[in-house]
Amino acid sequence: MVYSLFDNWYTIITVFGFFALLTIVAVIDQSTMEIPNTFVIAALVLGIISIFTMPGTSLPSRILGMFVVSVPLLLITLLVPGAFGGGDIKLMAACGLFLGTKLTLLSFAFAVLTGGLYGIWLLVMKKKSGKEHFAFGPFLCLGMAAALFIGDRVWDWYAGLLYL
């Protein structure tokens, strides 16, 4: 499936590296509720590599992708302490370089949708109270993986609904 979406071996290797990193981050964040800076730096390095191996996303889009989600998350966290973890914010900035603006926005939308549904399930099942936190990193990682595979199609569908 990956080969049908990406047309050369170095793009495929970059994407597999990104998925491996997302998997590791999701597992670590789920178990520790922390995303170590080592993995954020690895995501940033993969983002830099992807500039050359995935030239379909422009450099301005990649740079804007670093800020389009991470800055609002930072502002929300400054206004509501503990709303998001620092690792989540840094991960979105680093991965924004890899994904570009459009896919970064979509990945966050996917993460909010899936994480929100999970949070509702936790509340309904009385596994957590409204004041307790859960790891959001796995949902960010899931959203980024989904955006990379189906993001362009979802974006085009949604833009079609809005007649853009």
Side-chain angles (χ1 to χ4, degrees), residues 65-78 89 92-93:
M66 293 179 71
F67 301 101
V68 72
V69 170
S70 59
V71 169
L73 289 182
L74 176 61
L75 294 175
I76 290 168
T77 302
L78 291 174
I89 297 166
M92 285 308 297

Side-chain angles (χ1 to χ4, degrees), residues 32-60:
T32 66
M33 294 215 20
E34 205 172 286
I35 300 173
N37 286 334
T38 305
F39 297 107
V40 173
I41 292 167
L44 189 61
V45 168
L46 272 173
I48 292 167
I49 291 169
S50 74
I51 293 169
F52 304 102
T53 62
M54 302 170 72
T57 304
S58 70
L59 186 58

Side-chain angles (χ1 to χ4, degrees), residues 33 80-83 119 122-123 127-134:
M33 294 215 20
V80 182
L122 288 174
L123 291 172
K127 295 191 179 275
K128 295 227 182 229
S129 73
K131 298 283 184 182
E132 293 179 274
H133 298 279
F134 63 89

Side-chain angles (χ1 to χ4, degrees), residues 18 21-22 25 29 35-37 39-44 47 61-77 83-112 114 136-148:
F18 188 65
L21 179 66
L22 292 178
V25 167
D29 192 34
I35 300 173
N37 286 334
F39 297 107
V40 173
I41 292 167
L44 189 61
S61 175
R62 290 173 184 276
I63 292 170
L64 182 58
M66 293 179 71
F67 301 101
V68 72
V69 170
S70 59
V71 169
L73 289 182
L74 176 61
L75 294 175
I76 290 168
T77 302
F84 294 98
D88 297 334
I89 297 166
K90 292 181 283 187
L91 181 68
M92 285 308 297
C95 291
L97 183 62
F98 188 95
L99 296 170
T101 305
K102 178 174 62 172
L103 295 183
T104 301
L105 286 169
L106 275 172
S107 69
F108 187 67
F110 291 152
V112 168
T114 56
F136 192 56
F139 299 100
L140 292 173
C141 293
L142 179 65
M144 287 185 264
L148 196 56

